[in-house]
Amino acid sequence: MIKMNNERPVNDMTNKKTKFRMSDERRKILLVEDEIINQELMKESLSGIYDLIVTETGEEAMDVVNEQHQTLSVVILDLNLPGISGIEVLKRIKESPVLSQLPVIVMTSDDNAEVECLTLGAIDFIPKPYPATEVIRARIRRIIELSENRDILRFTERDHLTGLYNKEFFYRYVAQLDLYNSDAPADAIIFDINHFRMINERYGKDKGDKILKLVAQKALAIENEAGGIFCRSGPDTFMYYCPHLSDYESVLESLSVSVSDGERDENRIRMRMGVYSDVDKTLDIERRFDCAKMASDAVKGNLTHPIGFYDRSMRESEILAEQLIDDFRDAIREKQFAVFYQPKFNIRPDNPVLCSAEALVRWKHPKLGMISPGVFIPLFEENGLIEQLDHYVWSQAARQITVWKEKLNISLPVSVNVSRIDLYDPELESKLLKIAEEEHLNSGELMLEITESAYSEDQDQIVKKVTRLRELGFKIEMDDFGSGYSSLSMLSYMPIDALKLDMQFIRSAFKGRMDTRLLEAMIRIAEAFEVPTIAEGVETEEQVTALKRMGCDIIQGYYFSRPLPADEFEAFVREKTK
Ligand code: C2E
Ligand code: MG
Ligand code: MG
């Protein structure tokens, strides 16, 4: 039987209307007690202050708790009940993720039950026979205050969707864990859900939220088993700080969830994991997780090896990257970047004929020596510095064409590399035209190599841009063709003047047992689109002969020459044209 006690002080409602403050609201208490005399005693102590709901059995109590847990402040629970026992009610409340935050005060005359109840999660204990009314009131008031403060803290320190800590509080608790466990080795781990945006788009946001909640539930289970703490650090990323582990695969496995309720493998959400194992505790906590992030980024897109480990070489390359970015400005000012030139030969005639050159940048770093573009170009592409560097290289190359015209009496077109970022520069055309004009070049003398991967993004815009550049007279070579970013169908609407095959085709065609079928097919494709093919990375006579037989038009590679500084290139040309 459920009874509601509605006795209120007369002025109660007026107070409510005027103040509307949480501190003035009457709290609701559930009393679970089957003995009438005890019910009456408690009512006398509490009903002037609280709204009291009284139930006489454990089953009724669970019904009320399930329906009203959000507005209940405390449950006062007798242990001796008809039907399910008070201990069982306590267990059910504390084991439920939804109800477990509800404070439960246990009443019993059995002293021995005290420890068991507190272990099960009871917040306090009222002995029978009851203490004085003031004592009961004071204890209940204190419990409500404590739990409300805790709820407020919970609200601010937790991510609302998943209930895991948010990043800010997580870092604080990690610092505390370190204080208590200063000598114990620890790991900083990051989990990223692959393609979460696609999951949201394909299955809807609700499903996406559900997946995140499921991951969080599994995270809590891992916390329980292995220790440590989790947080949700971003929309689809989680951090975990824990005692040093040995089996990372099983942790990743334990966290993995499925899109559908079934466990079918194709519906599994793929996650990757970055581990900074046995962290250096002198690093600040954010840095430790930066390291884990780097490890996770290193396995991005790698479906067979989804766990990356942070190692010293990552740290070293990160330090190098920072230094190179810092040094960039001085390097431009002090002309530390040198442009090298590598010849391209037309192999259609009986004897190969020098037909152009590619400008390739190197960095003569005052402290680090010669640095290859493979090291700094990707870095500068990431932070946009590439635009400035490319502009510098284009100007140098344009100057060089003029110098060779004057010195060698030849007009040798030079191709320059145009980065993906450059294509988004609205002033790209005018910058290139200005460079060509300054050296009185016709635009065909400065050729542009655009890497295939640039074409895979925002195709419409790139096609427009490249079309405009061609209309202005610049010749376009698609660099690294076949490296896997674009589809073949793209060729039918992509404006280009030459296809430069990715070096990998040459490598695999001539590696071990020669198999040139793919290489030949690529050359046939270029023929079908009526554009010449350029093969780069050609190193041996055997390769030249085979490529010529296959119908390749132009060759660039160590077979003819490595990229050379301008003066050496000049000597090379003199030698070839003697
Ligand atoms: P890429 O444009 O595909 O350039 C060809 C690369 O192949 C060059 O490497 C060249 O030195 C190398 N190579 C040429 N022949 C052979 C050979 O026979 N064997 C081998 N093993 N390698 C050969 P490099 O100079 O290290 O340049 C690497 C990449 O850096 C270039 O690839 C290009 O994407 C980029 N890069 C170079 N200079 C610039 C620049 O000024 N601006 C931009 N945006 N990128 C540049
Ligand atoms: Mg190139
Ligand atoms: Mg290339």
Side-chain angles (χ1 to χ4, degrees):
M1 187 181 27
I2 302 172
K3 303 172 199 163
M4 187 83 184
N5 182 304
N6 280 329
E7 293 162 35
R8 287 170 192 269
V10 181
N11 64 355
D12 183 48
M13 290 308 285
T14 40
N15 264 348
K16 266 187 149 182
K17 265 196 186 117
T18 48
K19 297 207 175 121
F20 202 67
R21 284 202 306 245
M22 208 35 217
S23 53
D24 298 321
E25 294 291 323
R26 276 166 72 97
R27 305 299 193 261
K28 200 155 64 178
I29 292 180
L30 170 64
L31 174 67
V32 193
E33 171 62 84
D34 57 325
E35 283 174 43
I36 303 294
I37 175 98
N38 288 338
Q39 285 180 11
E40 291 307 321
L41 277 170
M42 281 307 244
K43 274 188 204 165
E44 211 166 288
S45 309
L46 301 176
S47 60
I49 311 166
Y50 301 102
D51 284 348
L52 206 58
I53 305 172
V54 183
T55 68
E56 292 177 358
T57 68
E59 286 84 353
E60 286 172 352
M62 283 315 299
D63 288 345
V64 175
V65 166
N66 280 318
E67 273 168 31
Q68 303 190 40
H69 64 92
Q70 282 176 319
T71 50
L72 278 178
S73 289
V74 172
V75 178
I76 302 175
L77 179 67
D78 178 28
L79 288 189
N80 280 325
L81 296 170
I84 59 169
S85 70
I87 291 277
E88 182 57 29
V89 173
L90 177 63
K91 264 194 199 158
R92 288 189 192 179
I93 292 176
K94 291 298 153 187
E95 278 169 8
S96 152
V98 185
L99 307 175
S100 64
Q101 298 305 319
L102 191 58
V104 180
I105 301 174
V106 167
M107 302 179 294
T108 179
S109 50
D110 176 6
D111 286 349
N112 297 329
E114 187 167 354
V115 175
E116 187 186 1
C117 292
L118 292 177
T119 316
L120 284 174
I123 197 159
D124 202 357
F125 203 82
I126 298 179
K128 284 184 182 177
Y130 292 143
T133 296
E134 286 69 30
V135 176
I136 295 178
R137 283 184 183 167
R139 284 177 107 148
I140 290 176
R141 193 178 337 110
R142 189 180 56 92
I143 298 290
I144 291 177
E145 271 170 18
L146 272 176
S147 94
E148 287 179 357
N149 287 344
R150 192 195 55 194
D151 284 350
I152 290 169
L153 182 63
R154 233 185 112 69
F155 191 75
T156 44
E157 70 180 12
R158 303 271 173 172
D159 161 54
H160 298 176
L161 178 71
T162 61
L164 296 178
Y165 287 116
N166 58 38
K167 205 152 109 183
E168 197 179 68
F169 279 85
F170 173 76
Y171 284 151
R172 289 195 202 180
Y173 288 122
V174 168
Q176 278 183 7
L177 281 180
D178 272 356
L179 279 178
Y180 292 125
N181 306 279
S182 57
D183 293 333
D187 296 340
I189 302 178
I190 277 196
F191 299 91
D192 275 87
I193 300 181
N194 293 338
H195 308 301
F196 188 67
R197 202 170 50 117
M198 244 163 62
I199 296 170
N200 264 337
E201 276 167 17
R202 187 160 161 209
Y203 300 102
K205 192 174 167 301
D206 287 350
K207 191 83 187 177
D209 284 355
K210 203 170 152 201
I211 286 167
L212 292 170
K213 284 190 207 163
L214 268 175
V215 172
Q217 264 179 30
K218 300 210 166 189
L220 291 175
I222 294 173
E223 270 183 14
N224 274 336
E225 193 160 308
I229 47 171
F230 268 88
C231 87
R232 182 178 178 212
S233 51
D236 56 353
T237 53
F238 300 86
M239 289 175 173
Y240 181 35
Y241 192 73
C242 59
H244 178 46
L245 303 171
S246 53
D247 183 359
Y248 296 99
E249 276 89 5
S250 73
V251 174
L252 185 60
E253 180 61 26
S254 314
L255 203 64
S256 95
V257 298
S258 196
V259 177
S260 61
D261 297 333
E263 291 287 303
R264 288 220 316 274
D265 208 44
E266 67 267 27
N267 288 330
R268 286 200 97 60
I269 299 296
R270 291 189 187 278
M271 277 200 203
R272 62 179 190 278
M273 176 173 174
V275 180
Y276 175 21
S277 173
D278 192 4
V279 299
D280 171 357
K281 290 190 180 174
T282 60
L283 287 181
D284 49 323
I285 294 158
E286 276 189 75
R287 287 280 316 142
R288 294 179 217 169
F289 281 94
D290 285 348
C291 297
K293 175 90 178 98
M294 248 184 273
S296 160
D297 287 348
V299 292
K300 198 172 183 172
N302 188 338
L303 295 183
T304 47
H305 294 99
I307 305 180
F309 291 91
Y310 175 77
D311 61 23
R312 189 178 278 279
S313 70
M314 276 185 195
R315 174 92 188 112
E316 278 163 8
S317 64
E318 193 202 14
I319 291 171
L320 176 67
E322 277 166 16
Q323 183 182 355
L324 295 184
I325 292 167
D326 284 350
D327 293 346
F328 178 78
R329 253 181 207 278
D330 287 349
I332 288 275
R333 206 183 42 238
E334 294 168 12
K335 297 200 169 15
Q336 292 170 12
F337 290 106
V339 183
F340 279 36
Y341 298 88
Q342 188 177 31
K344 295 181 194 174
F345 280 81
N346 179 354
I347 56 162
R348 311 286 328 209
D350 287 344
N351 288 319
V353 178
L354 175 68
C355 60
S356 62
E358 175 173 11
L360 292 158
V361 71
R362 271 97 186 91
W363 188 346
K364 288 183 182 164
H365 194 284
K367 293 204 198 88
L368 303 170
M370 188 75 98
I371 312 176
S372 103
V375 175
F376 57 86
I377 296 281
L379 187 66
F380 295 161
E381 278 177 337
E382 245 172 58
N383 60 21
L385 290 175
I386 192 70
E387 283 192 59
Q388 215 183 325
L389 178 60
D390 276 347
H391 193 269
Y392 176 79
V393 174
W394 303 338
S395 311
Q396 292 288 308
R399 184 83 274 274
Q400 200 57 59
I401 296 172
T402 313
V403 169
W404 286 330
K405 264 187 204 160
E406 290 162 0
K407 273 184 148 176
L408 303 171
N409 199 24
I410 56 165
S411 164
L412 190 69
V414 171
S415 62
V416 293
N417 288 284
V418 175
S419 184
R420 185 177 54 83
I421 317 286
D422 298 318
L423 296 173
Y424 293 99
D425 176 5
E427 287 167 23
L428 176 65
E429 297 91 320
S430 58
K431 283 179 184 165
L432 282 166
L433 280 177
K434 186 155 175 272
I435 289 173
E437 269 164 27
E438 272 168 9
E439 295 299 335
H440 309 289
L441 305 179
N442 65 54
S443 45
E445 285 177 293
L446 195 62
M447 303 188 294
L448 310 178
E449 294 195 9
I450 300 176
T451 180
E452 184 206 54
S453 62
Y455 290 87
S456 62
E457 279 177 27
D458 206 350
Q459 288 198 352
D460 290 350
Q461 198 186 333
I462 302 294
V463 171
K464 272 193 207 136
K465 194 75 167 182
V466 174
T467 308
R468 250 195 327 269
L469 288 167
R470 285 185 88 223
E471 283 164 3
L472 293 171
F474 293 103
K475 294 268 179 283
I476 310 290
E477 294 177 358
M478 187 189 280
D479 206 354
D480 312 318
F481 181 70
S483 54
Y485 289 96
S486 54
S487 67
L488 287 177
S489 62
M490 169 184 97
L491 277 180
S492 54
Y493 52 86
M494 211 44 95
I496 50 163
D497 299 283
L499 267 189
K500 256 187 121 165
L501 298 179
D502 190 49
M503 224 180 284
Q504 219 34 57
F505 285 110
I506 318 287
R507 291 278 162 282
S508 35
F510 295 100
K511 177 184 72 185
R513 281 180 55 215
M514 199 161 104
D515 183 353
T516 55
R517 283 174 299 178
L518 196 56
L519 186 56
E520 262 175 275
M522 299 309 273
I523 295 172
R524 291 291 89 76
I525 289 171
E527 268 173 14
F529 287 95
E530 298 176 346
V531 291
T533 358
I534 305 172
E536 63 181 331
V538 177
E539 295 183 352
T540 65
E541 179 146 17
E542 179 202 18
Q543 293 170 351
V544 178
T545 316
L547 283 160
K548 186 171 168 137
R549 185 178 41 75
M550 288 180 234
C552 174
D553 303 283
I554 294 168
I555 279 182
Q556 173 183 352
Y558 294 174
Y559 173 73
F560 289 112
S561 168
R562 289 179 174 260
L564 300 169
D567 53 347
E568 287 180 37
F569 186 86
E570 207 175 295
F572 174 86
V573 176
R574 282 190 207 279
E575 181 63 31
K576 288 283 162 193
T577 49
K578 245 200 294 208

